[in-house]
């Protein structure tokens, strides 16, 4: 990942005409690793092609620092709790990448590269399944790359493919494209590293369906399927197939492209591609305004307020509503001993212990599917319950 990020023109169609899609003026914004950053959130929508992008330009060194030093080193792997039992993120992505377009494509690969290999959890999974394939990785974060090498994986640290005269049969990249300053440059570079006819598996958040992705300040671009299809043509690929949504990651899409001879640098044609971004921005802005009114009322009445749900919805509300500066008496969680919860700056206890903290009201910061069950349970504790999402 090299180069500056320029907010003044669209990376895909080069148009300089854009509308402000979101401007949330709380002075805070949220990163995808749930770290809070200083500064308002601003997202733009290209008037010509509809690609949504970050509204503030960034210098290349600031971007690189963000991923090499400052970015929270992702836990080695993440666990999805499915009805069939816990599944590691690496297992899940490996299954998806290898089965979505047929497993035979993978059995015959000689050399394969993972771009953005992190600490190597996914690469290790691939290596185990395809022992005859020469797998390599590249990773910007030195600590993660070091961790991957310690587990015996061939992971190089540095910005993307500086000196690659190597040609790979396949490249895959999961959750990277949305972070790079210029997807065009990034994809052209990947194209150069593939042999003719080589395969690129790309997986990242999709804006075909509503998600909170557009509220992450470190996601510089937000793509719909039509945008990715045009990127393929622009950067020297042929789209072989795509899948929108996985059972456990409904807001991710997976694309299979093949390296072709030469790129068609045709201008964007047709009308702009619509995404779900505007809808989710309008919905969340309404929810945050309503939450502000609720918090204002609770503060005036001098109520003691706790929060149930300390994950994504909470992070969103803390960044983009007055909850960020609100005195929270305690957090409530059924498993209050999780290490992450110790860093929140207020005590975390089981919901049943909220009386001991003198709690009068609970802000419910969870996905709406849990409302019916949780609302009756928490009201049973004799407190007011105020959902964040409507
Ligand atoms: Zn555009």
């Amino acid at each position: 990942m090299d180069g500056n990020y320029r907010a003044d023109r669209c990376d895909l169609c080069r148009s300089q005409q854009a509308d402000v899609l979101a401007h949330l003026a709380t002075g805070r914004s949220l990163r995808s690793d749930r770290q809070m950053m200083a500064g308002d959130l601003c997202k733009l929508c290209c008037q010509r092609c509809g690609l949504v992008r970050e509204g503030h330009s960034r210098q290349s060194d600031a971007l690189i620092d963000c991923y090499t030093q400052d970015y929270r080193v992702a836990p080695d792997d993440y666990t999805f709790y499915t009805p069939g039992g816990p599944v590691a993120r690496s297992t899940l992505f490996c299954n998806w990448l290898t089965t979505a377009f047929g497993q035979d494509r993978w059995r015959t690969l000689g050399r394969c590269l993972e771009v953005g290999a992190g600490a190597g959890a996914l690469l290790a999974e691939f290596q185990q399944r395809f022992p005859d394939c020469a797998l390599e990785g590249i990773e910007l974060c030195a600590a993660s790359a070091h961790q991957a090498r310690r587990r015996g994986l061939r992971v190089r640290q540095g910005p993307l493919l500086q000196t690659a005269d190597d040609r790979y049969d396949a490249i895959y990249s999961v959750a990277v494209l949305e972070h790079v300053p210029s997807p065009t440059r990034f994809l052209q570079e990947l194209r150069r590293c593939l042999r003719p006819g080589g395969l690129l598996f790309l997986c990242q958040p999709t804006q075909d369906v509503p998600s909170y992705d557009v509220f992450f300040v470190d996601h510089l671009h937000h793509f719909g399927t039509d945008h990715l299809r045009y990127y393929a043509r622009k950067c020297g690929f042929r789209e072989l197939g795509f899948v929108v949504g996985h059972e456990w990651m409904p807001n991710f899409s997976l694309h299979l492209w093949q390296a072709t001879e030469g790129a068609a640098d045709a201008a964007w044609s047709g009308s702009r591609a619509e995404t779900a971004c505007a809808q989710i921005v309008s919905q969340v802005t309404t929810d945050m305004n309503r939450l502000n009114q609720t918090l204002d009322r609770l503060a005036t009445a001098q109520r003691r307020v706790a929060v149930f749900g300390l994950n994504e919805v909470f992070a969103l509300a803390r960044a983009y509503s007055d909850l960020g500066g609100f005195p929270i008496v305690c957090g409530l969680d059924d498993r209050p001993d999780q290490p992450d919860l110790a860093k929140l700056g207020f005590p975390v206890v089981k919901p049943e212990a909220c009386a001991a903290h003198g709690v009068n009201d609970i802000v419910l910061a969870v996905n709406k599917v849990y409302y019916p069950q949780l609302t009756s349970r928490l009201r049973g504790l004799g407190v007011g319950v105020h959902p964040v999402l409507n």
Side-chain angles (χ1 to χ4, degrees):
M1 188 173 69
D2 58 339
N4 301 327
Y5 168 69
R6 290 184 55 181
D8 61 344
R9 65 168 56 184
C10 175
D11 177 73
L12 179 57
C13 78
R14 313 304 291 158
S15 168
Q16 291 182 290
Q17 310 301 316
D19 299 317
V20 175
L21 179 89
H23 182 203
L24 303 182
T26 55
R28 298 178 294 268
S29 48
L30 190 62
R31 223 159 60 176
S32 56
D33 62 352
R34 295 196 192 147
Q35 293 250 45
M36 207 72 79
M37 306 302 288
D40 295 350
L41 183 89
C42 179
K43 297 283 173 170
L44 306 175
C45 181
C46 173
Q47 282 184 5
R48 187 189 291 164
C49 76
L51 183 70
V52 174
R53 66 182 190 264
E54 167 59 28
H56 303 286
S57 293
R58 307 276 170 75
Q59 293 298 311
S60 134
D61 30 349
L63 282 167
I64 289 177
D65 281 356
C66 164
Y67 296 109
T68 51
Q69 296 159 22
D70 179 39
Y71 206 65
R72 185 190 286 186
V73 175
D76 189 36
D77 215 344
Y78 174 87
T79 306
F80 286 85
Y81 293 92
T82 76
V87 180
R89 178 186 187 271
S90 54
T91 308
L92 195 143
F93 274 112
C94 194
N95 287 345
W96 200 17
L97 266 72
T98 54
T99 59
F101 310 107
Q103 236 176 22
D104 287 347
R105 293 186 187 279
W106 289 88
R107 292 211 179 89
T108 54
L109 296 178
R111 295 189 70 204
C112 179
L113 176 73
E114 176 174 352
V115 175
L122 183 56
L123 196 64
E125 183 75 26
F126 270 99
Q127 190 70 83
Q128 193 191 336
R129 292 195 203 188
F130 305 100
D132 296 334
C133 179
L135 279 150
E136 295 162 39
I138 185 152
E139 168 58 39
L140 203 54
C141 171
S144 296
H146 180 69
Q147 214 172 319
R149 283 195 296 273
R150 279 183 53 183
R151 61 204 288 182
L153 299 165
R154 293 181 63 190
V155 173
R156 197 153 39 96
Q157 189 264 324
L160 180 70
L161 314 171
Q162 275 169 324
T163 57
D165 43 18
D166 309 330
R167 296 282 169 144
Y168 295 90
D169 297 310
I171 295 177
Y172 67 87
S173 187
V174 174
V176 173
L177 191 67
E178 68 275 26
H179 293 274
V180 304
S182 167
T184 298
R185 281 200 306 269
F186 176 78
L187 292 166
Q188 286 169 342
E189 221 170 329
L190 295 187
R191 168 66 191 83
R192 280 195 291 276
C193 295
L194 279 168
R195 65 165 175 78
L199 299 176
L200 175 61
F201 294 80
L202 269 183
C203 191
Q204 57 282 311
T206 175
Q207 308 311 321
D208 287 8
V209 294
S211 76
Y212 297 135
D213 182 73
V214 73
F215 296 101
F216 297 143
V217 69
D218 57 326
H219 287 187
L220 302 178
H221 292 92
H222 306 274
F223 319 91
T225 297
D226 293 337
H227 300 121
L228 286 166
R229 180 174 300 126
Y230 182 75
Y231 265 120
R233 282 187 12 234
K234 184 183 178 188
C235 302
F237 294 93
R238 188 161 63 97
E239 183 179 72
L240 298 183
F242 68 92
V243 185
V244 173
H246 178 281
E247 189 181 1
W248 303 109
M249 296 167 297
N251 67 317
F252 267 70
S253 64
L254 174 61
H255 304 252
L256 175 59
W257 296 354
Q258 185 167 39
T260 59
E261 299 297 333
D265 199 10
W268 175 269
S269 56
S271 55
R272 75 185 204 178
E274 296 301 330
T275 63
C277 291
Q279 179 199 337
I280 193 77
V281 166
S282 144
Q283 199 177 312
V284 169
T285 306
T286 307
D287 286 339
M288 294 301 134
N289 288 338
R290 205 174 37 91
L291 178 61
N292 287 345
Q293 288 168 12
T294 303
L295 294 173
D296 200 33
R297 218 173 51 236
L298 294 172
T300 306
Q302 297 186 319
R303 307 280 284 185
R304 289 175 60 81
V305 177
V307 177
F308 184 100
L310 300 166
N311 296 309
E312 193 170 45
V313 177
F314 173 66
L316 204 66
R318 213 162 50 135
Y320 302 121
S321 79
D322 296 341
L323 194 63
F326 197 85
I328 297 169
V329 172
C330 57
L332 306 174
D333 195 285
D334 286 323
R335 292 185 301 145
D337 299 330
Q338 299 167 67
D340 267 7
L341 302 183
K343 302 168 196 153
L344 288 172
F346 47 76
V348 179
V349 298
K350 290 193 175 190
E352 287 66 28
C354 75
H357 288 261
V359 169
N360 312 115
D361 292 86
I362 296 176
V363 169
L364 191 55
V366 296
N367 193 304
K368 278 191 283 188
V369 295
Y370 303 113
Y371 281 2
Q373 178 202 354
L374 278 173
T375 307
S376 60
R377 178 181 159 199
L378 296 176
R379 289 214 170 110
L381 301 170
V383 294
V385 178
H386 312 277
V388 168
L389 306 175
N390 198 4

